[in-house]
Amino acid sequence: EVQLVESGGGLVQAGGSRKLSCVASGFTFDEYAIGWFRQAPGKEREGVSCISSEGSTYYRDSVKGRFTISSDSAKNTVYLQMNSLKPEDTAVYYCAADLVCSPLIISGKVPYEYDYWGQGTQVTVSS
C-alpha cells in the first residue's frame, strides 16, 4: 500500500522558517518524483515544488529563493525547507508521488493529477 505521510506543519511568524517532511512507503522511492502542493482556504490547490527521480527540482515563482526541496533516498523522505515565510504561504501542504516532475505542472500551466497523495499538514504564517 502506497503511503505518504507529511509532518512539520504548524504556526510560524512571518519571516520565519519551517521544514516539512514527507515519508514515503509502498513504492520504489528512487523511481518516483515527489511534489509538494498546497491549498489555501477558498482557493484551488497549487503546485509548490517537485523533485524528479534524477534530482531535478522545480519551484513556482512565488517561492523561488525561499523554499528548497530535497530528498534523502536512504530515509525515503522528501523535505521542503521554507524560509522567509509570508502570510500568503498559509495553506495545507500536501506531498504527492508520480513519475512526472515538470515546471509546467508546478506552475499550473498544464493540469495534471499526481497518482498518490498524503493527508496534508497545515502551515499557518501569522503577520
Side-chain angles (χ1 to χ4, degrees):
E1 178 188 4
V2 173
Q3 279 195 321
L4 296 165
V5 180
E6 303 97 333
S7 63
L11 177 64
V12 59
Q13 288 188 333
S17 298
R18 204 80 186 178
K19 187 174 185 177
L20 305 183
S21 300
C22 172
V23 180
S25 61
F27 61 93
T28 305
F29 183 80
D30 291 342
E31 294 181 358
Y32 276 74
I34 301 293
W36 283 98
F37 297 79
R38 66 187 181 187
Q39 187 166 20
K43 295 187 176 181
E44 292 187 354
R45 188 175 63 204
E46 62 182 19
V48 176
S49 180
C50 67
I51 183 166
S52 74
S53 57
E54 295 85 16
S56 298
T57 59
Y58 303 103
Y59 301 89
R60 71 180 301 109
D61 287 346
S62 62
V63 307
K64 284 180 181 177
R66 300 189 298 122
F67 289 13
T68 302
I69 191 170
S70 61
S71 177
D72 185 343
S73 60
K75 296 181 179 180
N76 280 14
T77 301
V78 171
Y79 304 97
L80 185 68
Q81 176 68 47
M82 306 184 294
N83 299 328
S84 302
L85 282 162
K86 305 175 181 180
E88 50 264 43
D89 295 318
T90 295
V92 178
Y93 283 72
Y94 301 90
C95 67
D98 200 276
L99 296 177
V100 180
C101 173
S102 164
L104 297 177
I105 295 173
I106 293 301
S107 67
K109 293 179 180 177
V110 172
Y112 188 88
E113 185 71 15
Y114 268 44
D115 284 338
Y116 307 109
W117 292 84
Q119 82 289 350
T121 185
Q122 175 72 47
V123 174
T124 302
V125 184
S126 63
S127 57

